[in-house]
Amino acid sequence: MATPRLASVRLRGADGGPLHVDIRTGARSGEVRPVVVICHGFKGFKDWGMFPVVAERLALAGFTAVTFNFSGSGVGPASEVVDEPERWFRQTLSGDLADLESVISHVLRDGPSWVGLVGHSRGGGVAILQTAKDARVKALVTWASVAGFQRYSAEELARWRRDGRIEVVNARTGQVLPIGLPALQDLERHSAGALDLLAAANRVTAPWLIVHGSADESVPAEEAARLAHASGSARTERLTVDGAGHTFGARHPWAGSTAELELVVAHTTRFLSSTLG
C-alpha cells in the first residue's frame, strides 16, 4: 500500500472566511479511491488528538481520508486553540451543514460519485443530518454522537437571550469562549425541521454504524440507543465499547492510541470497506 500523501486546500466557509481542509490519500495518478470525510465535534478541530491518526489509518486502508475545521470552530489551519474567536462567536449548526456540503462537493469533483461520513459527538449529529438529505452519502459512522442539539437548561437559554451570548469554557485550554445569538436563533428556528436529529435519523437509508462508549461522560450512551431506534436504515449496526469515555481514551495532544480506540478504528474500517469498497 502506497504511503499516504497530505494535501491541504482552502475553500470558502459558510461564514465567508476560509474553510481549511486536509486530504490524505495513497492513490496513484488517475486512481479513484472511496472518500471518507471526518467531522469533528464541539470544541474540536481537524488536528485534535486522534483525528489525524484516524485519517492516516483510513488512507493506509485504501480510502481518501478528509478532515477539516468547521468555520465555527474558530481554529486556524495550524492552531490548537481558538485563535479566531469572532468565527466561534458567529457559529451556527446550519453553517456546519453548509461547510460539510462544500467539502463533499469539492472532494467528489474529480473522483467517485459517493462518500462515507464519520462524525464524532456534535459532528456525528451534523453527519446524520447530511446523510438524511444527500444521496451521495453511501455510508455513515457516528462516534459518541448526540441524539439532539438542545443541550442547555432553561436558565442557560434565558441568560443567552438576555445577554446575547453564552460562555463556554474549554477545559483543555482554559479559554472562556462566548457564543452569540445566531447559534440559538438558528437552533430554535430549525429545531423542529432541518435540525431535528431523530427525524433525520429516520430518513437515513445508508448503512449506519453507531459507536458509543458505555462510560461516555459527555454524551450519555442512551443517546446511541435513541438514534438506533430512530434509524431508517435497514443496515444499522451498534458497537458499545465497554468502559470507554467520550473520546475512547484519546487525548490532545496525542499521547498514543488505546485499546478502546483501536477497537473503534478497526470496526469503522471494516464497516466502510464493506459499504464503500
Side-chain angles (χ1 to χ4, degrees), residues 196-241:
D196 185 335
L197 260 185
L198 293 181
N202 188 250
R203 295 194 300 274
V204 169
T205 57
W208 182 2
L209 173 62
I210 300 172
V211 181
H212 219 105
S214 65
D216 192 321
E217 69 284 2
S218 298
V219 179
E222 290 78 9
E223 299 200 33
R226 292 172 62 196
L227 290 172
H229 180 74
S231 174
S233 173
R235 182 177 174 183
T236 302
E237 302 179 17
R238 283 184 64 188
L239 171 64
T240 301
V241 185

Side-chain angles (χ1 to χ4, degrees), residues 16-167:
L19 183 61
H20 302 287
V21 184
D22 287 346
I23 303 172
R24 291 173 172 84
T25 185
R28 299 174 179 84
S29 178
E31 179 186 2
V32 175
R33 292 190 173 190
V35 176
V36 177
V37 177
I38 300 171
C39 305
H40 67 75
F42 189 54
K43 293 188 284 187
F45 50 99
K46 66 181 175 62
D47 294 320
W48 187 95
M50 62 188 172
F51 294 121
V53 176
V54 171
E56 187 79 4
R57 293 274 294 275
L58 289 173
L60 284 169
F63 300 98
T64 291
V66 181
T67 56
F68 69 101
N69 286 346
F70 285 111
S71 299
S73 72
V75 178
S79 182
E80 298 184 356
V81 299
V82 173
D83 57 351
E84 300 172 337
E86 72 287 351
R87 303 187 77 188
W88 167 274
F89 185 85
R90 299 196 308 267
Q91 67 173 280
T92 65
L93 284 160
S94 293
D96 288 353
L97 272 173
D99 285 342
L100 180 54
E101 172 68 31
S102 295
V103 171
I104 292 173
S105 295
H106 176 80
V107 297
L108 295 187
R109 183 182 55 186
D110 299 317
S113 56
W114 61 87
V115 66
L117 299 182
V118 176
H120 177 252
S121 195
R122 180 167 120 160
V126 175
I128 293 167
L129 294 179
Q130 185 70 27
T131 304
K133 68 184 182 70
D134 190 344
R136 298 171 299 174
V137 181
K138 296 299 185 184
L140 171 64
V141 181
T142 52
W143 293 1
S145 178
V146 296
F149 293 117
Q150 210 305 75
R151 321 294 292 184
Y152 304 92
S153 68
E155 180 182 354
E156 289 171 326
L157 291 171
R159 185 167 66 250
W160 197 347
R161 294 187 190 95
R162 183 192 70 217
D163 298 342
R165 61 176 60 197
I166 190 169
E167 292 184 340

Side-chain angles (χ1 to χ4, degrees), residues 176-188:
V176 179
L177 303 166
I179 303 175
L181 270 179
L184 176 59
Q185 294 167 340
D186 180 58
L187 180 58
E188 292 185 329

